[in-house]
Amino acid sequence: MSLWEELRQDCLSCQGCELCKARTNVVFGVGPTDAKILFVGEGPGAQEDLQGEPFVGAAGKLLDDMLSIIDLGRDNCYIANIVKCRPPQNRDPKPEEQDACIDFLYRQIALLEPKIIVCLGRIAAMRMIREDYRITREHGTWVNKDGVWYTALYHPAALLRDASKRPETFSDLLSLRKKVQEVF
Ligand code: URA
């Protein structure tokens, strides 16, 4: 079995926190295993839970549009979440649920070796960049940790709720495109 397959099997059979009880599917992540860019959301919603794939609901459609603006798509990005099972009523994943799940993401990162990690929203940014990350102030800025470039964008669901954030996200996407050109 390949390391990816082993990781997937470990993840699909996980019962490490309460979220396993109500799940329809574990949402492991999708994308080519040689992708140089990783997008990280917070956790599956209703559609993702039903289909077993990240970002397939309304927020996912907006994410696809955001990617296409800068000539990226699901064929050249890996997409995953901090927690792999749906939190009820789409609440934020609790710290203990994140703690129980985060090793799966770390193992995905170790196998993928991405050059760029884009956090989608506050929860992912606080977990992946800095505990006290302020998304309103810091979105679109870049940090290099151990040779990997990290940034955060507003979560697509936040952009659906508040269209006034879209121009800032457009600038952030242009900055991401520039970083992709520099790094790849
Ligand atoms: N929101 C997320 O953070 N992740 C998904 O996979 C879907 C919606």
Side-chain angles (χ1 to χ4, degrees), residues 27 41-45 48 53-56 59 81 120 155:
V27 179
E42 62 183 63
E48 291 76 20
E53 270 210 31
F55 286 99
V56 288
N81 282 303
L120 296 169
H155 194 288

